[in-house]
Amino acid sequence: MALTSMGEETYSARHPLLQKNKFGGGCRSSSEEEATSKAVFRIMGMTCAACAGPVEEAIKRLRGIHEAVIDVLNNQAQVLFNPSFVNVEKICETIEDAGFKASLIENEANETSIRVCRIRINGMTCTSCSSTIERVLQLTNGVQRAHVSLALEEAEVHYDRRLVGHEKLLDEVETAGFEALLISTGEDLSKIDLKIVGECVDEYIKTLLEALPGVQSVEFHHGTDKIISVLYKHDMTGPRNFIRVIDSIVFDQTKLKATIFSVGEEGRESQRQGEIQRYYNSFILSLVCTVPVFLTAMVFMYIPWINHLLMFKVINMLNTGEIIRCVLATPVQFFIGWRFYYGSYKALRRGSANMDVLIALGTNAAYFYSLYSVLRAATSPDFKGEDFFETSSMLITFILLGKYLEVMAKGKTSDAISKLMNLTPDTAVLLTLDSEGKVTGEEEIDGRLIQKNDVLKILPGVKVASDGYVIWGKSHVDESMMTGKAKLVAKRKGDPVIGGTLNANGVLHVKVTKVGSESALAQIVQLVESAQLAKAPVQKLADKISRFFVPLVISFSLLTWLVWFFAGKLHWYSESWIPASMDSFELALQFGISVMVVACPCALGLATPTAVMVGTGVGASQGVLIKGGQALERAHMVNCIVFDKTGTLTMGKPVVVKTKLLKNMTLGEFYELVAATEVNSEHPLAKAIVDHAKKLRDEEENPAWPQAHDFLSITGNGVKATVKGREIMVGNKNLMSQDGVNITEEAEEMLAEAEEMAQTGILVSVDRELTGVLAVSDPLKPSARAAISILKSMNIVSIMVTGDNWGTANSIAREVGIDSVMAEAKPKQKAEKVKELKAAGHVVAMVGDGINDAPALVAADVGMAIGAGTDIAIEAADIVLMKSNLEDVITAIDLSRKTFSRIRLNYVWALGYNLIGIPIAAGVLFPWTHLRLPPWFAGAAMAASSVSVVCSSLLLKNYKRPKKLDNLEICEVLIERV
């Protein structure tokens, strides 16, 4: 049904389907009601009720849609839907398929119920495993999307908490045959794991902890150690309280002791080291058994007296060499190689095949044929056969060596996160204060035990332990880890401090305001981790290939064996081709096994994520936060950059440089009226005016301005308000013209003079009479001109889009070397300009810092937010430039290009091994060269492919910024000193 003549409010009153918990089309169960969310879309292009019909029908055809109502009058659609079946992106896409433009205005589901949790997953061996887990999670009711990273061994899941909980997600992963460990819930909760030493009653401890305010749940894990997991609200309680409660318990005259058990980054590192050690131990055991097998099969036959001992017949045709090889190869196959059987079982049980399946099939074929040969030799007086025990044991040994090297290399790809985590100190000095705020005691505590509202003592030369603000003391703090500039920042009472920054000289007392995931450093780490989990579009190729890779390899391996077997039986090749130690069946079997084990799906799966992990980590260390593989992939194709002016090309700290009064009024009275109006605005120019007004009243620390009534901000023009009964307007010529304010020649001259000097002219009217003109200057960033020049040398077009007037905009553009300018642009017009450039075939990056830049940042192929900008701009961007330097735009693009060159090289490595190795292993060259690829050598090649891909990605850690930027940075320092 379409709306043509009534407002939304009237329609909602008459139609119960738009009211909460009311649905048309019969009764629904309570569970269905809970699974319903509302989204409102803006639809552009509808002209009448006839347009609404097709849109409504198209939406209703989607699965999970409860109702859709189109409001032609307001160009809106309200949709009630089940988020477990359909999402807002799909609804938008459907509307656009119907021929109209659609954008989301409001999504109740996303605002209230969508959460993001991260899960640690152990047991993945190749991209087939990660794809399977991803598929299992995405099919879970309530999951919006899931990303699984083979390289990180983690999953990031977006889910509707009303339909599914994180416990269910963990169960789904474990049901698929993998070990799952919750890292974070994504809710406004913190999670801590405590290790308890001493005998205790679980229920008693659980009851005591759950009685604490803010504790949500308590869960015990029994194993080698007794671990307790506590979910809690960090603004109400903290781990120090939990440890205090547990330590106070005495059970059977034994006092309990609780300590923090690391399952976060430290736990992950500990687990990785444990995995490395397990692979190392397995490899050494396998090597100890395999070396004698190899020597007896391949070396000792050339030493006559040893060969005589090995060929001694024990039973019938069974000799001592075969017995030794069988005895040593058996534990390698079934004890050390058990991991491959278990991995194969899990894969086949869930209807997929992975690398473990290939290894198990290849080694089993060699082992069991060898075992058959041994049994035949023991029972037959004239059987002459060869065993391949060295093939199976050497295969497993080389594969374990490859996995050991791969795990070690993979651990180094996430070094950036470890370095970020290590920025905060391990310990902190906690102060105890009395009711008057005087220090009564202090103690050193573990940094992980810091809670909100704690007061910490920060000594000179010590890092700040957590985010907060200074309540006592004066000092200077090195904030280069956040700003990138090695410049000390003065701190005194009331000033904020950031965890991980270094206190240079004085002693500070800091009250903690943010802990855990709320801290600035934790959010940066979270952003980098999410970026490393997000898949680049180019990885879809590897995912598609891996889905069919193993079945195809098995089929080709079987075909290879059959071709060579029948070729031998039918005498299609000379018997002289067959090595003396084997027959045609054994030769065919070796070719088949070699094909099976030379192919490696792991290398394909690691090609993209390892490069993205290292690339995003290197970016973070350079102060460039890249939000995932998709942003990296788009950034390397950028050929057009749109710059905002204020705060991006300029310093973003404008100051009033000139004031001209046009009416008989004192300067103090004039600025009182202007400041009272502008104090309500968030615009940088407004802040500059208020700051200037404060300087005129320097006798007051925080001057109070008169109350402003009927305040109105007109985007792109200025502000209006009523102050002391007088109508005040502060803004540009457009604002004055719209309200009929006459602009004098004197004012016009001053505006033109300001524009020529790249300053912004601001007009002020009182009671619709022009009263004054202000000139505000925002100096250019020293590196702006050089940065634009470097971008031109990279064949990237630079465009400036600003809300400032044309004169100022053109003057700034000339100074920095930008040819194309769009001035007096409102936020919507900025976004439209970006879309226009995209439609013209450009890959567009938008660089901005303000709230008004957010629409353009979203519209661009790549949004780059200046780190000193607003939270909204940073949230909307794909790349955050933490140092607020323009040269980092160049770094981001150059790094993305280098990363994607590395990804292409990785695919050459991964596909090259398979495209070259499989034909050679199949014996394509054998008829002409008699060159064979023994199965054990094929296994070594397979292991080497994964290691080479990971090592190739690790070379990105040597990334250096373009040398031109070093000169630019020196230039900037010199300018600042002047």
Side-chain angles (χ1 to χ4, degrees), residues 278-502:
R278 285 192 297 274
Y279 273 117
Y280 176 77
N281 294 340
S282 297
F283 166 67
I284 294 298
L285 280 173
S286 185
L287 187 66
V288 167
C289 294
T290 299
V291 168
V293 173
F294 173 76
L295 292 175
T296 58
M298 311 290 286
V299 178
F300 289 161
M301 65 177 67
Y302 300 108
I303 304 174
W305 67 272
I306 298 180
N307 185 50
H308 179 72
L309 292 173
L310 293 175
M311 296 304 291
F312 177 76
K313 302 293 188 294
V314 179
I315 304 173
N316 290 326
M317 298 298 290
L318 179 65
N319 58 49
T320 52
E322 289 173 328
I323 293 172
I324 291 170
R325 288 191 290 274
C326 182
V327 169
L328 291 174
T330 299
V332 175
Q333 182 71 33
F334 297 108
F335 175 67
I336 298 171
W338 170 250
R339 68 179 70 240
F340 304 118
Y341 286 100
Y342 183 60
S344 301
Y345 163 72
K346 290 192 298 182
L348 294 172
R349 191 185 68 178
R350 59 180 180 262
S352 65
N354 62 5
M355 186 193 76
D356 290 333
V357 174
L358 293 178
I359 296 169
L361 284 174
T363 56
N364 276 342
Y367 178 85
F368 283 106
Y369 175 77
S370 302
L371 187 62
Y372 161 77
S373 178
V374 166
L375 294 175
R376 278 289 306 274
T379 56
S380 173
D382 56 359
F383 175 77
K384 289 184 179 180
E386 286 293 323
D387 65 85
F388 296 133
F389 285 120
E390 79 283 356
T391 296
S392 62
S393 57
M394 288 176 72
L395 257 176
I396 289 173
T397 301
F398 275 112
I399 289 164
L400 288 173
L401 173 62
K403 291 300 289 182
Y404 166 67
L405 295 174
E406 180 189 323
V407 172
M408 278 208 306
K410 275 165 60 180
K412 293 178 181 177
T413 59
S414 55
D415 279 352
I417 293 177
S418 302
K419 287 177 181 176
L420 285 170
M421 294 293 288
N422 291 334
L423 285 174
T424 51
D426 295 329
T427 61
V429 178
L430 177 68
L431 298 178
T432 306
L433 307 180
D434 60 19
S435 57
E436 296 178 359
K438 294 180 180 178
V439 177
T440 58
E442 63 179 63
E443 63 171 318
E444 189 174 54
I445 62 170
D446 189 314
R448 294 168 296 181
L449 297 178
I450 296 172
Q451 297 179 187
K452 199 169 183 179
N453 296 322
D454 281 348
V455 176
L456 306 178
K457 182 180 181 180
I458 314 297
L459 297 170
V462 174
K463 289 181 179 178
V464 178
S466 192
D467 293 6
Y469 64 92
V470 178
I471 61 171
W472 179 87
K474 293 180 181 180
S475 183
H476 289 82
V477 175
D478 179 3
E479 295 185 344
S480 57
M481 55 83 72
M482 292 296 289
T483 64
K485 294 185 178 180
K487 188 166 64 175
L488 295 179
V489 180
K491 299 292 179 182
R492 60 185 66 198
K493 185 177 179 180
D495 288 340
V497 289
I498 303 169
T501 54
L502 182 67

Side-chain angles (χ1 to χ4, degrees), residues 25 282 321 395 424 433 454 496 518 569 615 755 821 896 942 977:
S282 297
L395 257 176
T424 51
L433 307 180
D454 281 348
E518 281 189 336
K569 288 295 181 184
E755 289 171 6
V821 180
S896 68
M942 184 196 75
R977 285 179 178 174

